[in-house]
Every structure is written in structure tokens, then in C-alpha cells.
Amino acid sequence: MGENEPSAAQPDKKMAYHKVNADQRAQGHSPYLDSDELQATALELEWDMEKELEEPGFDHFRLDSAAQHHLGNSQSPELDLEPIQPSSSPKGRFQRLQEDPDYVSHYTRQAPKSNRCSFLRVLKVFCTALILFIFGIVIGYYARKKCPSPPTPQEPNNPHIYHEILKEIKAENIRQIYRDLLEFPREDDAEVAVKILAQWRSQGLEDVRLVNYSVLLDLPGPSSNTVTLHNTGECFYPSGQQCSTDPKTLHSQDLLYSYAAYSAKGTLELSLLEDAGFGGALLYTDPCDLPKTADLADKAFMVSLNSGGDPSTPGYASIDGSYRQNRLNLTTLLVQPISAVLARKLISLTEDTAQKDKCTPLQLPAAGKKRISLNIQSVTTYKTISNVIGYLKGAVFPDRYVIVGSHHSSLKGYGGQGWASSTAVITALLQALMAKVQRGWRPDRTLLFCSWGGTALGNVGSYEWAEDLRNVLQRNAVAYVSLHNPVTGNSTLHPVASPSLQQLAAESQSINCVEKGRCPGSNVSSVQIQGDSDYFINHLGVPATQFSYEDIKASENSSFLSEALFPAHATKTEELDPSFSLHETIAKLTGQVTLQIATDPVLPFNALDIALEVQNSLKGDEAGVPQLLAVASQLRDTAELFQSDEMRPANDPQERAPVRVRMLNDVLQGLEKSFLVHQPPPGLYRNILYRLDDRTSQFSVLLEALEHCKLHQSNETVQAALSKVLNNINSAQVYFKAGLDVFETTLAGKK
């Protein structure tokens, strides 16, 4: 390297590292020095630096040179000091001299340059890392603010979590929500919906919306309907009070709202005893069917003849642009509900006889003919009804919906206070859930909280919303949990569930029943559920469940009584449940079932229970159904295989592959869809898994067909009903078998 030796005659006395850098650029073939050159250059550099440091005025130069070093580093991108300072290079001259015991420093100065350069490099790296760290924090903050990552459960879903949520549901809280609702003036359905929306948002549920539909409603007319008895010339209001009674002594709402919605309008004279060709009908509740907890014998009621939804858009949603059919009346008959007291007067049953035995069914006299006139003045008009829909998105399966439904709709002053009871319970449940959500928890599946409008006139709000979202719900709806009128009596708990959910409903009772003496254990039935669950059960085949406190008679007899809406002052909720402990029980039972359906990795549906329900519904049939029994036996065998071969491995966390669980849940979700019939007899459910009442266990379509056979001496109806049931059971058997085949194929492919 002699040709590159620095000379004292150089005019600018450049520092040695400039020269070394020039050597690097001059090589051309490589940007790096070989090992021998590297070591020699390092020694030469340190020797030249020593000579510079010995020059006078170094103390003033030291800071300037440091500044020049950094400046040069930023302005000369080709400068690279790393190759001349390898960790394996020999010690510099300063270090070797300092280690020599004979070396004595003649002046105070900084640490050797090799250490100083190393320190500056470390400082530079540290500053750069610090700047990058701060810059990263800033970017992360704004990125998180604009694009928040989906929340992940901070705690696993387990029974302990359920208990923590449900213990937040308290009777006094439900009572306060209930009273707040009753204080709100019920001028309009939409106004009540807006208040509920505000309540739910205040609990932290962010995605809440009003969904409005313009629908055809049949509302009370300007004056009360009347019933006139021609034999005596007496005129009666539907409650049984005479038309001449001073109106001030009557409840004006009772006069107006005692009617049958969507009945024909006008005045008609008819006979009570005509067998055919009649043009009207009187409806009443028999004294034997009335609950003991309230004296309703002298109360008329309201009932809707609408089977569901907006009558002017049957089968499709009432949205802008929909064709409106001219269906002002749903029947050509004039229909009028009357009280049991008026029914006695019309058939001339003396009051003494009625008092002796209140449970003697009312019967027409053996002889005599009476004529009456009906005057019906209800008005049909288009109005807007509002649903409140709130979404709590699931963390794992956000495309699967567990729907919890209550209602805020009842005619002003009618229907009792069930709407407030229903809304208070669902709001208390939502409040408990959101308290946990705000601490980081989320359900696996999406929860939909729904408060329906238009329920009293035929479940109008729920029908329109479900028809609007039919295709989405057919694919995504997992279950419907109903809170329709949770407390209508106080004698016993009445749990109802579709067959696939009966086991879950029974387990929930054993855990969460506050009033133990009023919980009948595992007595869960599949009778027809009233209210807004109708569309989900009968048109979508979605498993459903409902807990309610009722009078014992309500579950034993036909479900007609639950469809009758009595005046609000006739049945007061706080008289039935003054401590609101029954409401608390309903909320906790509903919450337990909802949480398990929404968070269990494998849906808690039982395929075998469906097969057992089918077999039980075929026992004792008069028609002799060997084919039905044979197919039902096959269904049970397949369900047993499905329950053991597929459900058990999926419930084992070690064998719970996500793809397998998703496939299994898809099969479970559709278990009950096979049991929908297209054209059931009037008044019967399309889902044949549900019975008329607790007294009957057979398929209701078969019972109806047998009754028709007795009246008309024809076996055609029975054969048609048997064919429908046979096809439903066979369809379910094929569905279960297909599910097994899919799993077997998948497992074989993996092997």
C-alpha cells in the first residue's frame, strides 16, 4: 500500500479514512478489502489519527470533527466504515500502547478512537431504533383507530361464564324496566319502538335499527259493536252490558276493542241454531277454560282472524313496489267475540245454574229458536308498524343467527300488560349480556334481539321482516327463543320446545329455576307456541323454545285462550308476580338456553329426540300405519348412529376439527326442516312435530283427518294425511343418512 501512503506535503491534510475510502473506490472489482489489506489499513488509519490528535488546538477541534463525521456520513452514501473495523482486527496502536506498562499519556483526552467510533455507531443505531419505535407506535395507533381488529373473547365459553352473566339478572331490575315502560304513553306503535331502541343502545348494543313496514291493519271503528236479541229486543255490548247503560260507568276501550280483526263488516241477522248457510259467528271462552287467577267471565276480548303477516301481501314482504291485493276482509262471515256472561244470556242459561257449577260447559237449549243481529264497525286501513332489531355479532360464526324475540305491540288498553312484561325480560337479558361484552366477551354466533310490532293483529311485524329476509334466514337462522307473554299466570312453569331442543330446555330448568316449587322438572312439551315464533317454526323449520308461567288450565286445554286479548285492567302483571321472581326465572331460563345455543362449539340439538318424538306420535293410531312405523324405525336407527358416530367425536376437544364441526352444525341446523307440510288443515301448524295441546300425543294432521273421516264417511282425507306424514319422515331419514355419508367420505379422504 506504499503508493497510497499519505504525505505531509498534501495541501489539505485529509484524514486517513478519506484515503481508505478512495482506495475502495479505486479497486473496481470489489467494494470490500481482502483480509490482509483490511488489517494493514486499520493500523495505518489509527496511526494517522494519532498524529492528528497530537496537533495543537485539538480540544477545540474535537467537537467540530465529530459534527463533520456525522455530516459526511449523511452526505457521502459511498462511505462505509464497517469493512475497516471488523471485530477480528488486531488491536489499534492506542490500545497496544495503553496496555504497555511503560506508556504514559502526556495529556488528557477522550477514549481511543476505536472505542469512540464504536460508541457513535451504537448511539446511531439506538437513535434510529428509537425513532422507528416511536414511528411504529404512531402508525399502530392510527391504524387501530381506523381499522379496529375484530374483538376476540378474552375468556373461554364455559358454564362459569354463563353463571356470571345470568347472576346479573335481578327481579328488581326487571320490575323497574317494566314500570318505566308502562309510564310511556302508548299513542303509537312507532313511538314505543323508538323508546325500546334508545333503551337497548343505552345498554351498549351499538347495531340497533328500526325496520318499518306499511301494512293493512283492521282497527276499531268509531263506536262499539253490538249484539241484539230479537226475542226480547235487548241490545248488548260484547261484554254483556246493555246498550242503555250509562257510558260513564263503562270502560270505553272495552267497548271499542272487543272485536275480531279482519272480520266482515256491516249488520246481519242470524239464527243461533242454523246448521248451514249462516253468515256470522259468536266467539266466547267457556268458564271451564278460564284461569282461576282472574275473573274474566264478564270480559269480552279481542282476537285476530289473520294467520300471519300483511293480508294484502300474502307470502311476500310489504316493501315499496309490492303488489297489494284487495283483501279488506279475511272472511265473508261477521265474527264477534263476546263474554261468557253474554253467552249465558243468549242461550237462556239461568244465573243460578251457572253459579252452582261454574265448570259446566255452556250448551244450547234443547228446544227453541233465537234470532240475533250483529253490527260490526271495525275499519281497515294502511299504517306503519315498527320492529326493533339489534345485532350482537358473533366472534366465530357471525353468519349464524340465534334470534331472541319479544313484542311491544298490543292494542291501546288491550292485551293486558304482556307486551311490557315481554320487553322488560328481553331488556334485562340484554343488559346482563352487554355487561360481559364490554369486558371483552362475545358469543360464538350472532345474537339477534327483536322486539316485534303488530303482534296483536296477526304477528304482522315478525312475518314481514322474516319474509323480507327469507333467503338469508333459511340459510343462517339457527334457533328462535321466544319471550311472548312470559307471565300470564302464576301456578306453574310451562316450558315448550321443539324436539331437538327439549333436552336443553330440561337441563336449563334444573340449573336456573328460582321458584323451585313451581318448576315441574323435565316436563317439556312440543305444543303449538303462540306469538311471533310462528313464521320461524312453520315456514323456516327453525328449532324454537319458550318458557312461560301460566295457569295449569292453559297448558291442558286448547291454545285458543292464549290468542284472546283481554282488557289491560282485567289481568295485571304485578298482581300475578308482585316480587317479579317469576320474571327473573323466565329471564334466566331463556338466557341459559340462548347462551348455550350461541356459544357451544357443537349446537346442543338432539337428533335422537326427534326420532323418538316421531315414534311416540304414531302410537295408538287407529288407521294402522305399518309403513309409517317402519320408516320411523329407520329414522331412529340413523339418528342413533348420527348421535354416536358424529356427535361424540365433535364434542371431544381433541378431535374437534373446525371443518368437521362446521359440517356437523350445518346438519344439526336443518334437522327439523324435513317436517314441514305444504297445506295443513286450517288451524294446524305446518310443522307436524308440534301438537295441539298436552292432552294429545299424535300428529295433529292425522287427528284432523280422522275427525274429517268420521263426519264425511270418506277415507280420502286420512290417506292424504298419511302420505304427507310418510313423506316427511322419509325425508328426515334421507337427510340424516346423507349427513352420515358426507362425514364418512370426508374421513376416508383424510385417511
Side-chain angles (χ1 to χ4, degrees), residues 581-613:
S581 60
L582 302 183
H583 285 77
E584 180 184 340
T585 296
I586 298 299
K588 290 187 174 182
L589 292 171
T590 302
Q592 178 76 33
V593 168
T594 302
L595 284 168
Q596 288 196 241
I597 299 174
T599 58
D600 282 5
V602 177
L603 289 171
F605 297 170
N606 197 306
L608 184 56
D609 283 352
I610 296 178
L612 294 174
E613 184 80 8

Side-chain angles (χ1 to χ4, degrees), residues 11 117 127 174 212 258 275 529 600 703 725:
C117 292
C127 292
I174 301 175
N212 300 324
S258 299
D275 295 329
I529 302 176
D600 282 5
L703 289 176
V725 174

Side-chain angles (χ1 to χ4, degrees), residues 229-290:
L229 184 59
H230 278 248
N231 300 57
T232 61
E234 294 176 288
C235 173
F236 299 97
Y237 293 124
S239 60
Q241 296 166 307
Q242 292 191 351
C243 301
S244 59
T245 307
D246 184 0
K248 294 181 180 179
T249 63
L250 303 175
H251 291 278
S252 59
Q253 295 297 325
D254 292 8
L255 300 181
L256 294 179
Y257 285 85
S258 299
Y259 77 110
Y262 303 101
S263 164
K265 283 77 175 170
T267 301
L268 177 69
E269 182 177 314
L270 68 146
S271 169
L272 290 176
L273 300 180
E274 287 188 37
D275 295 329
F278 62 91
L282 298 175
L283 306 178
Y284 68 92
T285 56
D286 195 278
C288 293
D289 293 335
L290 293 173

Side-chain angles (χ1 to χ4, degrees), residues 616-633:
N616 290 334
S617 298
L618 292 173
K619 289 180 179 178
D621 240 345
E622 300 176 11
V625 283
Q627 277 187 301
L628 288 178
L629 291 172
V631 177
S633 178

Side-chain angles (χ1 to χ4, degrees), residues 686-728:
R686 292 183 67 231
N687 191 329
I688 64 172
L689 291 175
Y690 291 80
R691 306 192 301 272
L692 283 173
D693 52 56
D694 282 334
R695 294 176 299 178
T696 58
S697 61
Q698 292 131 311
F699 286 117
S700 56
V701 292
L702 293 181
L703 289 176
E704 180 71 14
L706 290 171
E707 291 296 325
H708 187 274
C709 178
K710 293 176 182 177
L711 289 174
H712 300 278
Q713 301 298 314
S714 171
N715 201 35
E716 182 179 350
T717 306
V718 174
Q719 293 302 319
L722 288 172
S723 179
K724 289 179 181 179
V725 174
L726 175 64
N727 278 277
N728 285 149

Side-chain angles (χ1 to χ4, degrees), residues 453-506:
T455 299
L457 294 168
N459 308 317
V460 179
S462 56
Y463 256 75
E464 295 308 308
W465 182 80
E467 287 175 344
D468 199 2
L469 278 71
R470 180 185 179 95
N471 291 335
V472 175
L473 295 174
Q474 279 182 326
R475 182 178 65 254
N476 294 350
V478 173
Y480 186 92
V481 183
S482 174
L483 280 167
H484 181 76
N485 292 350
V487 178
T488 58
N490 57 12
S491 59
T492 187
L493 178 69
H494 188 225
V496 178
S498 59
S500 61
L501 286 176
Q502 286 188 8
Q503 183 174 327
L504 178 63

Side-chain angles (χ1 to χ4, degrees), residues 536-691:
F536 301 93
I537 293 172
N538 291 305
H539 294 268
L540 300 177
V542 173
T545 186
Q546 171 183 286
F547 297 94
S548 61
Y549 272 98
E550 300 177 353
D551 186 84
I552 293 177
K553 291 183 178 295
S555 61
E556 291 176 347
N557 299 322
S558 175
S559 59
F560 167 75
L561 185 62
S562 62
E563 298 180 5
L565 301 181
F566 286 88
H569 57 82
T571 52
K572 292 186 178 180
T573 299
E574 294 206 48
E575 293 178 0
L576 295 174
D577 185 21
S579 67
F580 275 74
S581 60
L582 302 183
H583 285 77
E584 180 184 340
T585 296
I586 298 299
K588 290 187 174 182
L589 292 171
T590 302
Q592 178 76 33
V593 168
T594 302
L595 284 168
Q596 288 196 241
I597 299 174
T599 58
D600 282 5
V602 177
L603 289 171
F605 297 170
N606 197 306
L608 184 56
D609 283 352
I610 296 178
L612 294 174
E613 184 80 8
V614 169
Q615 286 190 318
N616 290 334
S617 298
L618 292 173
K619 289 180 179 178
D621 240 345
E622 300 176 11
V625 283
Q627 277 187 301
L628 288 178
L629 291 172
V631 177
S633 178
Q634 293 177 5
L635 176 65
R636 177 173 177 172
D637 292 342
T638 307
E640 286 179 339
L641 283 174
F642 185 85
Q643 201 80 24
S644 59
D645 291 358
E646 307 307 332
M647 297 287 287
R648 289 175 187 170
N651 283 314
D652 183 353
Q654 295 182 351
E655 300 184 39
R656 192 180 291 157
V659 173
R660 182 188 182 90
V661 170
R662 182 66 186 230
M663 291 168 59
L664 176 59
N665 284 337
D666 287 346
V667 175
L668 291 171
Q669 189 176 322
L671 289 178
E672 298 191 14
K673 289 180 171 58
S674 299
F675 296 94
L676 300 180
V677 297
H678 295 295
Q679 293 180 335
L684 300 183
Y685 264 23
R686 292 183 67 231
N687 191 329
I688 64 172
L689 291 175
Y690 291 80
R691 306 192 301 272

